[in-house]
Amino acid sequence: QKEVEQNSGPLSVPEGAIASLNCTYSDRGSQSFFWYRQYSGKSPELIMSIYSNGDKEDGRFTAQLNKASQYVSLLIRDSQPSDSATYLCAVNPHLTGTASKLTFGTGTRLQVTL
Amino acid sequence: EAGVAQSPRYKIIEKRQSVAFWCNPISGHATLYWYQQILGQGPKLLIQFQNNGVVDDSQLPKDRFSAERLKGVDSTLKIQPAKLEDSAVYLCATSGGAIEYEQYFGPGTRLTVT
């Protein structure tokens, strides 16, 4: 059973702080990794994808991947109240092709306080 | 670019009744996925289509769930007969754009079985 583990939270951070969200996965052969943001009552929205070890930055978001440790994280700088949501980590065994399939974690709920 | 469309957005049925959900993918996206998301959990893949062929339906409860994707575009997911435990959000996602393995979700259909 391939698993993706996340702390369910809630993770509470003050406005303007850095939020750090973590995810571990069991399938060592996993190739691509995704972070989705899901507001209450809404569908998941893709915010970051990463497939190479190291950091990938996009605006206030940075995804970090360490395949040796089977660990992927998402940093949100200058956290805003609008960042309050559940963040889902998803793992794909493939980079491309018809066999691509996402396994999701249960999500971490982030609360940004004023 | 228009996103993934789904209908209906909400549905309430009694157990043992049947229900159908519809999905229209992002134009040009060849791969279509149906996920089930139970409250407090991450999405779970039910079935994956590549064009109009099934790639993976290993987690689809085939005694009551069926899905089709005619002409490789729109897709329908049917449940017959519904059980109380089918109450969930049914999400359609598609991939096959500029970054082939990135999946984009529709707004989902919230099903309540009473």
Side-chain angles (χ1 to χ4, degrees):
Chain A
Q1 179 74 14
K2 298 179 175 65
E3 293 184 348
V4 177
E5 301 287 341
Q6 295 182 258
N7 188 316
S8 60
L11 173 66
S12 185
V13 299
E15 184 178 6
I18 296 175
S20 178
L21 304 158
N22 305 315
C23 172
T24 58
Y25 58 95
S26 63
D27 183 4
R28 185 169 290 277
S30 298
Q31 295 290 327
S32 51
F33 307 85
F34 306 86
W35 284 99
Y36 285 83
R37 177 175 63 197
Q38 188 171 29
Y39 292 113
S40 181
K42 302 295 186 182
S43 62
E45 173 193 7
L46 180 64
I47 54 172
M48 291 288 287
S49 61
I50 187 168
Y51 56 91
S52 298
N53 278 328
D55 295 357
K56 179 182 177 182
E57 186 175 319
D58 183 0
R60 295 187 296 113
F61 299 99
T62 299
Q64 299 175 317
L65 175 61
N66 185 325
K67 288 185 178 180
S69 299
Q70 295 176 238
Y71 177 92
V72 59
S73 64
L74 179 70
L75 301 178
I76 306 175
R77 290 181 300 281
D78 188 24
S79 295
Q80 300 298 309
S82 58
D83 295 326
S84 297
T86 296
Y87 289 79
L88 296 164
C89 174
V91 173
N92 192 342
H94 302 281
L95 274 177
T96 187
T98 59
S100 296
K101 185 172 82 171
L102 293 182
T103 299
F104 284 85
T106 56
T108 297
R109 187 158 65 95
L110 173 67
Q111 292 179 337
V112 180
T113 58
L114 296 173
Chain B
E1 177 179 74
V4 179
Q6 289 188 249
S7 68
R9 296 294 309 276
Y10 306 91
K11 191 73 176 179
I12 300 174
I13 62 173
E14 295 181 352
K15 59 183 179 183
R16 291 188 289 274
Q17 286 187 324
S18 62
V19 64
F21 313 125
W22 173 83
C23 174
N24 178 252
I26 294 172
S27 178
H29 280 201
T31 310
L32 185 147
Y33 314 79
W34 283 102
Y35 288 88
Q36 179 192 60
Q37 186 174 25
I38 293 172
L39 189 64
Q41 300 181 17
K44 183 186 85 170
L45 180 69
L46 293 175
I47 188 167
Q48 177 185 350
F49 292 94
Q50 178 76 11
N51 295 310
N52 61 348
V54 175
V55 174
D56 184 350
D57 63 358
S58 59
Q59 298 194 81
L60 187 73
K62 299 181 186 62
D63 58 333
R64 298 183 300 107
F65 286 65
S66 64
E68 61 181 6
R69 189 183 185 196
L70 300 177
K71 300 181 181 178
V73 182
D74 293 3
S75 178
T76 56
L77 176 70
K78 297 179 182 178
I79 307 175
Q80 181 179 11
K83 293 185 175 181
L84 295 176
E85 58 261 37
D86 297 331
S87 294
V89 176
Y90 290 86
L91 295 162
C92 178
T94 68
S95 66
I99 301 177
E100 185 174 352
Y101 48 87
E102 290 188 350
Q103 296 185 22
Y104 297 90
F105 285 84
T109 298
R110 182 175 299 276
L111 174 67
T112 301
V113 182
T114 63

Coordinates of all heavy atoms in Angstrom, one line a residue, chain B residues 11-17 19 79 82-88 90 111-114:
Chain B
K11 N -26.2 16.9 -5.2 CA -27.3 15.9 -5.5 C -27.6 15.2 -4.1 O -26.7 14.8 -3.4 CB -26.8 14.8 -6.5 CG -27.8 13.9 -7.0 CD -28.8 14.6 -8.0 CE -29.8 13.7 -8.6 NZ -30.7 14.3 -9.5
I12 N -28.9 15.1 -3.9 CA -29.3 14.3 -2.7 C -30.2 13.2 -3.2 O -31.2 13.5 -3.9 CB -30.1 15.2 -1.7 CG1 -29.2 16.4 -1.2 CG2 -30.6 14.4 -0.5 CD1 -29.9 17.4 -0.4
I13 N -29.9 12.0 -2.8 CA -30.7 10.8 -3.2 C -30.9 9.9 -2.0 O -30.2 10.0 -1.0 CB -30.1 10.0 -4.4 CG1 -28.8 9.5 -4.0 CG2 -30.0 10.9 -5.6 CD1 -28.1 8.5 -5.0
E14 N -31.9 9.0 -2.1 CA -32.1 8.0 -1.1 C -31.3 6.8 -1.5 O -31.0 6.5 -2.6 CB -33.6 7.7 -1.0 CG -34.4 8.8 -0.5 CD -35.9 8.5 -0.3 OE1 -36.2 7.4 -0.8 OE2 -36.6 9.3 0.2
K15 N -30.9 6.0 -0.4 CA -30.1 4.8 -0.7 C -31.0 3.9 -1.6 O -32.2 3.9 -1.6 CB -29.8 4.1 0.6 CG -31.0 3.6 1.4 CD -30.5 3.0 2.7 CE -31.6 2.6 3.6 NZ -31.2 2.1 4.9
R16 N -30.2 3.2 -2.4 CA -30.7 2.2 -3.4 C -31.2 3.0 -4.7 O -31.5 2.3 -5.7 CB -31.8 1.3 -2.9 CG -31.4 0.3 -1.9 CD -32.5 -0.7 -1.5 NE -33.5 0.0 -0.7 CZ -33.5 0.1 0.6 NH1 -32.4 -0.3 1.3 NH2 -34.5 0.7 1.2
Q17 N -31.2 4.3 -4.7 CA -31.5 5.0 -6.0 C -30.2 5.1 -6.8 O -29.1 4.7 -6.4 CB -32.0 6.4 -5.7 CG -33.4 6.4 -5.1 CD -34.0 7.9 -5.0 OE1 -33.2 8.8 -4.7 NE2 -35.2 8.0 -5.3
V19 N -27.7 7.4 -9.6 CA -27.3 8.8 -9.8 C -26.2 8.8 -10.9 O -25.4 7.8 -11.0 CB -26.8 9.5 -8.5 CG1 -25.6 8.8 -8.0 CG2 -26.6 11.0 -8.7
I79 N -23.7 5.6 -10.3 CA -23.7 4.8 -9.1 C -25.2 4.2 -9.1 O -26.1 4.9 -9.2 CB -23.5 5.6 -7.8 CG1 -22.2 6.4 -7.9 CG2 -23.5 4.6 -6.6 CD1 -22.0 7.3 -6.7
A82 N -27.1 3.3 -5.0 CA -26.3 4.0 -4.0 C -26.4 3.5 -2.6 O -27.5 3.0 -2.2 CB -26.7 5.5 -4.0
K83 N -25.3 3.6 -1.8 CA -25.3 3.2 -0.4 C -25.0 4.5 0.4 O -24.4 5.5 -0.2 CB -24.3 2.2 -0.2 CG -24.6 0.8 -0.8 CD -23.5 -0.2 -0.3 CE -23.8 -1.6 -0.8 NZ -22.8 -2.6 -0.4
L84 N -25.3 4.4 1.7 CA -25.0 5.6 2.5 C -23.5 6.0 2.5 O -23.2 7.2 2.5 CB -25.4 5.3 4.0 CG -26.9 5.0 4.3 CD1 -27.1 4.6 5.7 CD2 -27.7 6.2 3.9
E85 N -22.6 5.0 2.4 CA -21.2 5.3 2.4 C -20.7 5.9 1.1 O -19.5 6.3 1.0 CB -20.4 4.0 2.7 CG -20.6 2.9 1.7 CD -21.6 1.8 2.3 OE1 -22.5 2.2 2.9 OE2 -21.3 0.7 2.0
D86 N -21.6 6.1 0.1 CA -21.2 6.7 -1.1 C -21.3 8.3 -1.0 O -20.9 9.0 -1.9 CB -22.1 6.3 -2.3 CG -21.9 4.8 -2.6 OD1 -20.9 4.2 -2.3 OD2 -22.9 4.2 -3.1
S87 N -21.8 8.7 0.1 CA -21.9 10.2 0.4 C -20.4 10.7 0.4 O -19.6 10.3 1.2 CB -22.5 10.5 1.7 OG -23.9 10.1 1.7
A88 N -20.2 11.6 -0.6 CA -18.8 12.2 -0.8 C -18.9 13.2 -1.8 O -20.0 13.5 -2.4 CB -17.9 11.0 -1.2
Y90 N -17.5 14.0 -5.6 CA -17.0 13.3 -6.7 C -16.3 14.3 -7.6 O -16.9 15.2 -8.1 CB -18.0 12.5 -7.4 CG -18.4 11.3 -6.5 CD1 -19.4 11.5 -5.6 CD2 -17.8 10.1 -6.6 CE1 -19.8 10.4 -4.7 CE2 -18.1 9.0 -5.8 CZ -19.1 9.2 -4.8 OH -19.4 8.2 -4.0
L111 N -22.4 14.6 -3.3 CA -23.5 13.7 -3.2 C -23.8 13.3 -1.8 O -22.9 13.0 -1.0 CB -23.1 12.4 -3.9 CG -24.1 11.2 -3.8 CD1 -25.4 11.6 -4.5 CD2 -23.5 9.9 -4.3
T112 N -25.1 13.4 -1.4 CA -25.6 13.0 -0.1 C -26.6 11.9 -0.3 O -27.5 12.1 -1.1 CB -26.2 14.2 0.6 OG1 -25.3 15.2 0.8 CG2 -26.7 13.7 2.0
V113 N -26.3 10.8 0.3 CA -27.2 9.6 0.2 C -27.9 9.5 1.6 O -27.2 9.3 2.6 CB -26.4 8.3 -0.1 CG1 -27.4 7.1 -0.2 CG2 -25.7 8.5 -1.4
T114 N -29.2 9.5 1.6 CA -30.0 9.4 2.9 C -30.7 8.1 3.0 O -30.8 7.4 2.0 CB -31.0 10.6 2.9 OG1 -31.9 10.4 1.9 CG2 -30.3 11.9 2.8

